[in-house]
Amino acid sequence: FRPQASSSPLRAVTEHHNAAAMIYNMNHAFYQQFLSKNAQSKALPALVRHVSVSDRGVIMVAMAPAVAPPVPSFVDFAGTPALVGVIRAALSIVEREYGLVSHHFRVVPWLGGDSGGPGGYPDSGFEAFLCAREAAAVRAAAGACGFLIYVAGNTRQREVPVMSLMDDLDAPI
């Protein structure tokens, strides 16, 4: 997005705000279409999952394909059409089943097979979440396929705030 040249900084901010609201609405509509389109297509792949809620109320979900893809790594898997189904299944779970509307979605490499662990930056909270007894099936599935999907978020709706009279540059402040 590149705002047009404007005679006032307030007008530029207003134009930027309106464009941001429009982009958010377009992305949200596309996203909903993306999810509903999948409902009409073939069945989603099964994902093994573990869910927990942190002390701060953040809902955490770890998922991995129940059946390991027939490729040696996530990099190879990412180049296959099957990736779309796995991502759609994960989004359907977190948004439709758990109701998350504001979330962080991350693909985490799993290093070392069945006895391994998550790659990337050390995160003691994330590692404690995965060490829970209830997460054993996710750890086993991640070890078999070489990755897991981690989502953390909440059910609070976030919207671009609407400010009255932003278009009226002659309005009092």
Side-chain angles (χ1 to χ4, degrees):
F1 169 72
R2 189 178 283 246
Q4 296 177 348
S6 175
S7 59
S8 105
L10 182 58
R11 183 174 302 273
V13 169
T14 302
E15 290 170 359
H16 179 74
H17 175 270
N18 292 341
M22 182 179 73
I23 289 168
Y24 170 81
N25 291 333
M26 287 178 2
N27 286 343
H28 184 72
F30 172 78
Y31 191 60
Q32 291 305 317
Q33 181 183 12
F34 176 79
L35 285 176
S36 63
K37 181 179 177 184
N38 188 61
Q40 299 166 0
S41 66
K42 63 183 180 177
L44 295 174
L47 298 179
V48 178
R49 57 187 125 157
H50 169 58
V51 182
S52 184
V53 179
S54 75
D55 295 338
R56 296 183 312 171
V58 175
I59 300 169
M60 302 176 293
V61 185
M63 300 168 276
V67 177
V71 292
S73 71
F74 178 76
V75 173
D76 296 322
F77 180 63
T80 69
L83 174 67
V84 174
V86 169
I87 298 298
R88 283 184 176 162
L91 289 172
S92 179
I93 288 168
V94 300
E95 294 195 346
R96 290 186 176 167
E97 292 183 33
Y98 299 127
L100 301 183
V101 293
S102 176
H103 54 76
H104 170 78
F105 189 101
R106 178 174 21 160
V107 176
V108 180
W110 190 267
L111 307 175
D114 291 341
S115 62
Y121 299 107
D123 180 343
S124 60
F126 175 58
E127 291 171 4
F129 165 67
L130 288 176
C131 285
R133 183 181 36 168
E134 298 84 5
V138 173
R139 291 191 307 269
C145 68
F147 71 96
L148 65 86
I149 295 170
Y150 173 66
V151 179
N154 58 52
T155 58
R156 186 176 57 224
Q157 181 72 34
R158 294 179 188 235
E159 296 182 17
V160 177
V162 176
M163 299 179 71
S164 61
L165 301 175
M166 282 297 291
D167 292 328
D168 184 4
L169 300 179
D170 295 324
I173 296 177

